[in-house]
């Protein structure tokens, strides 16, 4: 069963992470979609979905995601769908809004019946606040993988590898 991979990227950083992710997941297992070229009907084609989103400025959605969010994303029925989200953010420069985009999209997925997988431990990150946080059993996680190519680019490949193995296992559960 193919995975629908949806993302937006202004600077190319998210696209680079997507390319690495496709390599790790296997290109034959992925249908890649730039979110500005997608629709609610495109999302409906998949039971397994991976979303990639950078957070801009003061917790804003990336421009293509902002358009998709306003035009159709909030109306998608995620019932029966398993969704993993990764986000890019700058924990030092924009630490009050670190990967907020992940939280914004994850909340819609969960509110609209989707099963969210790929939670990521928030320990080790240095930020002030995030809409992507979730508390489980007294521990703080993000609602998806947090990538910081501005401050910790050397950790990106390792984080992607671990997260990819995690979501592949969770997709099968």
């Amino acid at each position: 069963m193919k995975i629908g991979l949806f993302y937006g990227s202004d600077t190319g950083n998210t696209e680079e992470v997507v390319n690495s992710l496709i390599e790790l997941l296997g290109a034959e297992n992925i249908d890649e979609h730039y979110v500005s070229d997608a629709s609610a009907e495109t999302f409906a084609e998949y039971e397994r979905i991976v979303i990639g989103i950078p957070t801009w400025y003061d917790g804003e959605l990336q421009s293509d995601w902002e358009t998709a969010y306003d035009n159709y994303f909030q109306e998608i029925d995620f019932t029966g769908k398993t969704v993993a989200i990764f986000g890019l953010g700058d924990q030092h420069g924009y630490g009050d809004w670190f990967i907020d985009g992940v939280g914004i999209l994850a909340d819609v997925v969960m509110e609209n019946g989707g099963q969210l997988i790929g939670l990521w431990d928030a320990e080790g990150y240095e930020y002030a606040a995030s809409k992507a946080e979730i508390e489980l059993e007294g521990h703080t996680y993000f609602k998806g993988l947090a990538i910081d190519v501005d401050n910790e680019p050397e950790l990106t490949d390792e984080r992607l590898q671990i997260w990819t193995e995690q979501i592949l296992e969770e997709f099968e559960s």
Side-chain angles (χ1 to χ4, degrees), residues 20-173:
S20 296
L21 192 57
I22 289 171
E23 193 174 306
L24 290 167
L25 291 169
E28 68 280 1
N29 299 318
I30 299 288
D31 286 338
E32 178 184 354
H33 300 279
Y34 203 81
V35 72
S36 63
D37 298 330
S39 65
E41 292 77 23
T42 315
F43 276 85
E45 296 174 21
Y46 302 95
E47 290 180 21
R48 297 174 180 172
I49 297 169
V50 174
I51 292 173
I53 180 168
T55 297
W56 280 94
Y57 309 113
D58 300 341
E60 298 170 25
L61 298 175
Q62 181 264 346
S63 59
D64 297 305
W65 274 110
E66 183 176 32
T67 301
Y69 188 85
D70 291 340
N71 291 339
Y72 68 85
F73 189 80
Q74 297 176 79
E75 307 306 318
I76 296 172
D77 181 2
F78 285 99
T79 304
K81 300 188 183 308
T82 306
V83 181
I85 304 175
F86 71 89
L88 279 72
D90 178 346
Q91 61 191 311
H92 298 143
Y94 296 92
D96 289 330
W97 307 276
F98 185 54
I99 67 163
D100 275 359
V102 169
I104 294 167
L105 298 184
D107 288 349
V108 171
V109 168
M110 293 184 299
E111 288 167 9
N112 292 2
Q115 177 188 0
L116 188 66
I117 63 168
L119 300 184
W120 190 255
D121 195 335
E123 190 173 317
Y125 291 87
E126 298 175 11
Y127 64 99
S130 176
K131 290 180 181 175
E133 286 183 337
I134 187 169
E135 292 289 326
L136 295 173
E137 300 174 4
H139 192 79
T140 305
Y141 294 90
F142 293 122
K143 296 172 187 170
L145 175 62
I147 303 265
D148 185 345
V149 297
D150 295 313
N151 301 293
E152 300 175 335
E154 72 283 358
L155 299 176
T156 298
D157 289 340
E158 178 184 3
R159 286 175 172 161
L160 272 175
Q161 178 69 44
I162 293 167
W163 189 71
T164 300
E165 292 170 10
Q166 175 186 337
I167 65 169
L168 285 174
E169 194 173 298
E170 291 175 347
F171 273 137
E172 297 304 320
S173 300

